[in-house]
Amino acid sequence: MFQFELQTKDPGSSARAGTITTAHGEIETPIFMPVGTQASVKGVHQHELEEDIKAHIILGNTYHLYLRPGLDVLKSAGGLHEFINWKRPILTDSGGFQVYSLSDTRKINESGVEFKSHIDGSKHFFTPEYAMDVQKVIGADIIMAFDECTPYPCPKDYAKRSMEMTHRWLIRCKEHFNSTEGLYGYEQTLFSIVQGSTYVDLRKRSAEFIAEIDMLGNAIGGLSVGEPAEEMYAMTEVVTDILPEDKPRYLMGVGTPANILECISLGIDMFDCVMPTRNARNGMLFTSEGIINIKNAKWKEDFSALDPNGTSYVDLFYSKAYLRHLMIAGEYLAKQIASIHNLAFYLWLVKEARKHIIAGDFANWKNSMIPKLTTRL
Amino acid sequence: MFQFELQTKDPGSSARAGTITTAHGEIETPIFMPVGTQASVKGVHQHELEEDIKAHIILGNTYHLYLRPGLDVLKSAGGLHEFINWKRPILTDSGGFQVYSLSDTRKINESGVEFKSHIDGSKHFFTPEYAMDVQKVIGADIIMAFDECTPYPCPKDYAKRSMEMTHRWLIRCKEHFNSTEGLYGYEQTLFSIVQGSTYVDLRKRSAEFIAEIDMLGNAIGGLSVGEPAEEMYAMTEVVTDILPEDKPRYLMGVGTPANILECISLGIDMFDCVMPTRNARNGMLFTSEGIINIKNAKWKEDFSALDPNGTSYVDLFYSKAYLRHLMIAGEYLAKQIASIHNLAFYLWLVKEARKHIIAGDFANWKNSMIPKLTTRL
């Protein structure tokens, strides 16, 4: 059932257009996946994700979902799709990233990771096998291998040992994934993750190992953790040169609109990031003409449409001055409007990228967009 | 232009069905007005108010709007309707209530009230005349006289002196209102307010004075400020017996669903209250079968529709277990869903009341509803 059809390759870059088929429908790539951390994309209704933002797939965080609502509730509900009433595809991370970034204390050894809940301090233990079990209960269409995401900067010997453990964990994930049944009668697909920090030789070794393991999709982890964008691009290029062309490539946790276009040009197909929603809640809007800080006094009496080029209804329905007022007054509606706008913009951006890949002029279009995307309006 | 057509009187109570016509359209009464304190009904998009909640009219708070976004912005926008993009009627209070309840310090004398902003501590002075000017800038279809809202309990001599001042202020409001132009080319209508605390003789005197002044609509203020419901009903009855039948009657700040039905039966036509939205944000849902505290553990694995009898899409789209999870996890979407539900329920309730008034069986229906509305599920 799971399938990746590579449709077009851009002549001027490594950008690709493709289609992923899952049990819950198709995903046109390149794609951006809105992040629904704890069973909700913050401030956004499900029908807004579908109709206004036009999300093809959303992401859930295994660490959060495991702690709350918990596996008992998710299992009784019939999985996350049923629980939140979302018919389209879902991807879950493995929980690894949050274990490292949110848990008060954690102990990593070969068998797995012990961590404390950031909610109530309770102790939990994730192994690669258990991360598969948990993600089978959540029921996402695409699930991720359990890895260690190294911080930036990371000493090379640590990065090497960690990467090697992540590789061994992948074997365990794959074996456990293949030897256990899904719960809900539809197919789930396991993606592997390349690690190796910012070391070219480690990234090469990891990408070669991952290519060898031959999963149906491959991700790049351990980037967008504080390293300069140039390092992120360099590592991405090293890895995409090695990963098989006929499998989707997912760059985890990236990024700004400019990051996304650059990484599409390096051959990435899938992205996720909290930036569009998190920055929206702080008043930062991404548009095709540049970045707006809506709290700025210059918008106080600007009654023009939020984004005349925007594709969601909020862009024409609400004015800049109104959103500025709501943001400064601390109204929930401010976060709601800005979140819909930013997510719709991200989805527009990847759709537009896809069009230009298919038209064969992606590289030129990207180069014309980058200066605009990074302008402060 | 402003018109109140009294259509039906219930044979078994003082309940009435009518239609108010304003420059921004018709309002079928009895009606509940969602509160949009600072230019937004908290957590709810404007199109949701219109399409899902089916609000006929919303309320804005003059005190909040005056402080933020401020009159300069509202005037440049062309008034509140344009600013928030809401085509239907709006009512604004006079600012009096918030001056008393929110301002750190205030000094009341015959000429007006000096108060300090709760936002930045800046000093402001409202007179009855200025409250008219401010509401003309905001541009609501229905605006309220500037009154003093006495607390509960209130010594009788204070209540009497305050009521008399409120009456003198009404004359000043009316004169200033009539002698100044609106800003936006459409008609605004000034409503008077009955005061008199919980003293029958004062309420009678105030209602007689207000009836004499003969505005196009009359409100009852100074209730729902902490007094027992029985006192609220008693005062409402005293007043509605005196107020002219051919003018709409607005009971300010009321109340629970049961309060609303009881006061409809006493001849009230218009209501507003923050309860449906404020309680929604804390997890309390009002339904036709009773009150749900969605945080309760009993809903943890209840995957049934939020409210099978509900009229808004959230009622069937989301489950109780999902809303419980969102509420406990502190997700914005929890507040959004619960707010839409509660407001849609309040609008359903008054619409249903209207149907039963027109059908002539309101009193029986009300008596059958009250026990259900107050049940804890």
Side-chain angles (χ1 to χ4, degrees), chain A residues 55 64 110 122 128 139 214 281 302 305 315 331-332 343 373:
Chain A
H64 288 281
E110 186 70 24
S122 56
D214 199 30
R281 295 197 300 278
D302 185 333
D315 293 315
E331 282 289 335
Y332 296 108
L343 287 175
L373 293 174

Side-chain angles (χ1 to χ4, degrees), chain A residues 38-39 42 76 301 322 331, chain B residues 39 42 76 301 322 325 331:
Chain A
Q38 33 187 14
K42 289 195 192 306
S76 307
E301 298 197 9
Y322 181 53
E331 282 289 335
Chain B
K42 291 195 191 304
S76 307
E301 298 197 9
Y322 181 53
H325 160 68
E331 283 288 334

Side-chain angles (χ1 to χ4, degrees), chain A residues 110-111 127-132 143-148 162-180 190-194 205-206 208-215 218:
Chain A
E110 186 70 24
S111 81
T127 61
E129 291 79 10
Y130 191 53
M132 296 300 99
I143 76 174
M144 301 304 299
F146 192 64
D147 63 339
E148 183 182 4
S162 170
M163 176 196 80
E164 287 165 351
M165 188 179 68
T166 285
H167 292 173
R168 290 188 297 273
W169 283 3
L170 173 60
I171 307 289
R172 289 168 56 188
C173 285
K174 185 181 175 184
E175 282 177 5
H176 194 74
F177 177 80
N178 287 337
S179 64
T180 51
L190 174 63
F191 276 29
S192 56
I193 304 177
V194 172
R205 270 188 52 198
S206 188
E208 283 160 3
F209 178 85
I210 294 301
E212 185 85 13
I213 295 292
D214 199 30
M215 306 300 292
N218 301 305

